Amino acid sequence: EDSDTTIPDGAIYCQDSLTINGTGNLTVSNEAGHGIVCKDILKIMEGTISVTAADSGIIGKDSLYVGDADIFISCGTDGLKSDKEEEGKGYVLIEGGTVTMEAGDDGIHSESGLFITGADTSVTVTGSQEGLEGNHIVITGGTISVMAEDDGMNAAGESDQEIVITGGNMKVNAAGDGIDSNGSIYMSDGELILSGPINDGNGTIDYVNKFIMTGGILAGSGSSGMLQTISSESSQYVISYTQDTG
């Protein structure tokens, strides 16, 4: 699925760019593979899209854009995915509509950037291993709810990993790290509520370099075995409280 093969591997398969438009309903089912696969740029502008797939739900290899559409996914691996390993490609942009999914692996997986914007945008991941994953995760608006067996938000990739939050209302319930960056985290606005983990091998907040917070609301609860709070360079105040349950 990660190669540039020309062998069709989705119930709907396109080797070139694909745009889904209009106000109708599209139901896609694949008991053996992916739901919708586009090897170039995939744009879902409007409509109600329901996908059930044994593998990934919707793939835009070069990039994946979601506009004012209602998307429902139940799949065995990644819900939404763009995984082209090339500069300027491999990104997911959601700037409207409603996206609801239950995924066996990542809810949304981006090889490069994952962007969620728009006041009326809604993204709900009811089940996943990792909820939102990308080298860069940028959230400027919307309502986001994530349930994850591992990390809720995870910035991971080759280099310059970061999570940037400038708006939005986010709730994350994760058995692994609530928010995790292999680089840095920046938050200037919005509301982020983190629940979990319950084991000391993970942390509610996990970062390598720094977490700079200059605005917004952040609340988190979970085990303290890998406790991290925001960096001292932050202009926002923080209260950190631990309790021994032994």
Side-chain angles (χ1 to χ4, degrees):
E1 70 181 69
D2 293 324
S3 68
D4 287 319
T5 177
T6 58
I7 300 174
D9 52 1
I12 294 178
Y13 175 88
C14 181
Q15 186 68 26
D16 298 311
S17 295
L18 173 64
T19 299
I20 299 175
N21 210 344
T23 59
N25 298 310
L26 174 63
T27 300
V28 179
S29 179
N30 191 344
E31 296 180 355
H34 308 302
I36 299 173
V37 177
C38 174
K39 294 295 184 178
D40 205 310
I41 300 171
L42 175 57
K43 296 181 179 181
I44 304 177
M45 309 299 293
E46 291 180 298
T48 299
I49 317 295
S50 300
V51 177
T52 303
D55 212 319
S56 293
I58 299 176
I59 301 173
K61 181 78 177 180
D62 285 2
S63 64
L64 173 55
Y65 169 83
V66 176
D68 190 21
D70 294 319
I71 299 175
F72 304 91
I73 300 172
S74 176
C75 64
T77 56
D78 299 329
L80 298 178
K81 178 164 70 173
S82 183
D83 61 353
K84 185 73 170 183
E85 297 181 5
E86 186 176 316
E87 186 175 354
K89 298 182 179 180
Y91 67 86
V92 176
L93 169 60
I94 302 173
E95 62 174 10
T98 300
V99 180
T100 304
M101 70 185 73
E102 182 172 3
D105 197 358
D106 297 342
I108 304 176
H109 177 90
S110 167
E111 192 66 30
S112 58
L114 167 55
F115 306 90
I116 300 175
T117 184
D120 296 328
T121 301
S122 174
V123 175
T124 303
V125 181
T126 60
S128 66
Q129 288 299 308
E130 298 207 338
L132 310 178
E133 183 174 74
N135 193 69
H136 302 277
I137 299 176
V138 179
I139 299 172
T140 65
T143 301
I144 300 167
S145 176
V146 172
M147 293 282 293
E149 294 296 324
D150 198 347
D151 298 342
M153 297 185 190
N154 184 25
E158 294 296 326
S159 62
D160 301 324
Q161 303 92 346
E162 64 179 16
I163 298 174
V164 178
I165 300 171
T166 64
N169 187 313
M170 294 145 282
K171 294 181 180 180
V172 177
N173 190 321
D177 300 323
I179 183 170
D180 178 8
S181 175
N182 291 348
S184 297
I185 304 171
Y186 302 90
M187 183 173 181
S188 61
D189 204 347
E191 181 175 303
L192 175 60
I193 309 298
L194 303 170
S195 300
I198 60 174
N199 66 79
D200 285 342
N202 293 284
T204 305
I205 300 170
D206 185 16
Y207 58 89
V208 173
N209 296 330
K210 54 191 175 182
F211 185 165
I212 303 297
M213 186 174 181
T214 58
I217 298 172
L218 169 64
S221 63
S223 61
S224 59
M226 293 180 62
L227 177 65
Q228 285 185 293
T229 63
I230 63 177
S231 301
S232 58
E233 303 98 306
S234 300
S235 60
Q236 196 86 327
Y237 292 106
V238 62
I239 297 175
S240 178
Y241 171 78
T242 60
Q243 180 177 349
D244 186 359
T245 59

